Amino acid sequence: MRFTRRAALAVVGVATLLATSACGSDDDGGAGSTQVEVFTWWADGGEKAGLDGLVGQFTTACTGQTFVNGAVAGGAGANAKQVLASRLQQGDPPDTFQAHAGAELIDYINAGQVEDLSADYDSWGLKQAFPPGLIDNLTVDGKIYSVPANIHRANVVWTNKKVLADAGITATPADLAGFFADLDKVKAEGIAAPLAIGKDWTQLMLFESVLITDLGPEKFTGLWNGATDWNDPGVTTAINDFKRLLTYTNTDRDALDWTDAEKLVMDGKAAYQLMGDWEAADLDAKGFKDYGWFTFPGNGTTFQWLADSFVLPQGAKNPDGTKCWLKTVGSAEGQKAFNTTKGSIPARTDAVPGDYPEYQQAAMADWKSATQVPSCAHGSACSQGWQGAANSALGAFSTGQDVAGLQKALAAAAKQFAGK
Ligand code: GAL
């Protein structure tokens, strides 16, 4: 047994592990193994449903290989990323792990922790399958290191339709002023915290959406590539708007994961939650049907994107099995099996919208015409170090509410991690 199995056992539970590992065989996951340990943070609800879909396709396409579930629970990989970092450091990588396209992936590439897959892209025809912009985000010095499974959207507000109807809200707020007015209407119905939220990274997501509204998509993107100064007065406006939004949120926010906040919406204790579109799949998986959604007020047609991709780690025990997993992830069948149940849209451009639930059909249409911006909370905009610093700054703001202090901390993080 490797350390990895122990970590997985602690979090995923014995039953899942026994069901998915090659128990009773002599295969200990070492050299010559036919086990493929897939490391994710998709342990429950819609996330697990998506993973299960992919595993079903892997089982069909990769006979002779056995899927081993290395999931470590916790939204946005809050726990998984720590476990992964320590395993990589100890030279004990899983056979594959999920990594966000963009800056987060570049961390692993620069650290020499993942293998070049360019030749496989050619033999699997993947360069033609994915949009050129996404290929750019996966490429470093002409080489491609991961296979994207999807495109998720981060800047979406999920609603409880009944709570909104009870408050007499029938239209989607066009801007932040309209959103504040609606939040007041829900509050007047006796709902003390109409906007459900969780801990640090979920607060960073809400703050990023406010930044998009107050700065516009171009200046927002500039925050991450150095073109926009974090000391910009527009950032101060956004922090003040965000501070005001926090007055409508649950006070136990710093102790909650995104699914706990989602439950407040499902239970009618809140009307809204800003969350990525994995929430659509999770609400579906939990049988909650009375939900609506809209793009964060003031974001216009901006689509804040992130993409989950899978890699071949340096030193993986079963590279042949991993390659079969990666080929499955990139295939039309694999993307359909995964994305129809994950809330995301396929990264491949040849998907058939009619195969997907209502939400994803709308997202597919938006993706084609939207202005795209990346996400720091989910690694497309910023490195892992920068993301950690931003999460800590938001966590401190949640208790301290110091506007100048947050702006200073975010400016310092940009300087430290991007030299800007
Ligand atoms: C993101 C990931 C999504 C979803 C979400 C919540 O980082 O890209 O697929 O899992 O975290 O856990």
Side-chain angles (χ1 to χ4, degrees):
M1 285 275 165
R2 291 185 266 163
F3 159 75
T4 73
R5 301 286 185 279
R6 287 202 300 275
L9 262 173
V11 189
V12 181
V14 180
T16 318
L17 206 70
L18 291 182
T20 51
S21 68
C23 234
S25 80
D26 294 335
D27 190 342
D28 64 356
S33 169
T34 55
Q35 295 183 10
V36 181
E37 190 203 357
V38 177
F39 187 96
T40 70
W41 53 87
W42 298 330
D44 297 296
E47 298 184 300
K48 169 101 176 19
L51 180 61
D52 287 347
L54 202 45
V55 173
Q57 186 56 32
F58 170 76
T59 306
T60 306
C62 304
T63 39
Q65 299 290 343
T66 308
F67 167 80
V68 175
N69 193 351
V72 175
N79 308 318
K81 283 184 179 173
Q82 288 177 27
V83 174
L84 180 64
S86 107
R87 286 185 58 175
L88 294 178
Q89 209 179 7
Q90 290 169 28
D92 177 31
D95 295 297
T96 184
F97 61 84
Q98 76 180 99
H100 289 120
E104 179 181 308
L105 184 69
I106 292 171
D107 282 346
Y108 296 115
I109 297 170
N110 288 343
Q113 291 166 327
V114 291
E115 299 275 3
D116 175 18
L117 298 169
S118 308
D120 303 294
Y121 260 68
D122 289 336
S123 57
W124 301 338
L126 293 185
K127 281 198 186 125
Q128 295 72 38
F130 299 127
L134 181 58
I135 294 277
D136 279 354
N137 278 289
L138 298 166
T139 306
V140 171
D141 294 337
K143 295 178 181 162
I144 308 184
Y145 294 83
S146 74
V147 178
N150 63 358
I151 305 284
H152 264 305
R153 186 176 197 171
N155 57 332
V156 188
V157 178
W158 303 92
T159 72
N160 179 315
K161 282 186 177 172
K162 180 172 184 308
V163 174
L164 294 191
D166 290 349
I169 297 167
T170 50
T172 299
D175 52 22
L176 219 38
F179 193 32
F180 282 124
D182 286 351
L183 285 161
D184 283 330
K185 283 184 203 158
V186 180
K187 236 180 160 169
E189 289 300 303
I191 295 191
L195 179 59
I197 199 162
K199 61 185 176 182
D200 52 14
W201 66 269
T202 72
Q203 296 166 25
L204 177 59
M205 287 186 75
L206 179 64
F207 178 54
E208 288 189 60
S209 288
V210 178
L211 282 168
I212 295 168
T213 290
D214 286 338
L215 294 176
E218 200 179 328
K219 274 184 92 174
F220 171 81
T221 301
L223 290 170
W224 310 107
N225 65 24
T228 306
D229 189 343
W230 278 94
N231 295 305
D232 189 286
V235 174
T236 319
T237 305
I239 297 175
N240 279 306
D241 283 335
F242 174 67
K243 184 176 179 179
R244 187 169 163 206
L245 279 174
L246 285 187
T247 65
Y248 295 91
T249 66
N250 40 295
T251 49
D252 60 352
R253 56 186 174 252
D254 297 325
L256 303 192
D257 204 340
W258 72 276
T259 41
D260 305 313
E262 175 196 49
K263 189 164 186 316
L264 295 174
V265 175
M266 289 167 63
D267 291 349
K269 292 181 180 151
Y272 305 103
Q273 182 186 11
L274 179 287
M275 191 39 58
D277 50 14
W278 43 90
E279 180 134 339
D282 204 57
L283 291 168
D284 290 347
K286 290 172 177 164
F288 183 78
K289 294 192 171 46
D290 199 28
Y291 69 88
W293 67 84
F294 53 83
T295 306
F296 186 78
N299 280 194
T301 58
T302 303
F303 191 120
Q304 190 182 28
W305 72 274
L306 57 120
D308 297 305
S309 70
F310 283 91
V311 298
L312 172 58
Q314 234 258 318
K317 313 279 187 308
N318 177 10
D320 289 346
T322 300
K323 287 206 176 177
C324 201
W325 172 264
L326 296 176
K327 189 176 178 186
T328 305
V329 168
S331 68
E333 298 80 7
Q335 300 240 320
K336 183 176 160 189
F338 179 63
N339 289 293
T340 44
T341 44
K342 180 66 167 70
S344 40
I345 61 175
R348 291 183 68 102
T349 52
D350 56 4
V352 181
D355 290 343
Y356 287 78
E358 190 192 347
Y359 168 76
Q360 282 102 314
Q361 291 192 26
M364 277 185 215
D366 286 355
W367 174 243
K368 284 199 184 127
S369 56
T371 305
Q372 297 171 17
V373 301
S375 152
C376 178
H378 301 286
S380 45
C382 66
S383 65
Q384 295 198 56
W386 194 351
Q387 183 189 75
N391 281 340
S392 307
L394 268 297
F397 185 75
S398 179
T399 29
Q401 307 273 306
D402 174 2
V403 172
L406 176 57
Q407 189 156 9
K408 208 168 149 209
L410 292 169
K415 203 162 178 46
Q416 182 183 353
F417 292 102
K420 283 143 191 161

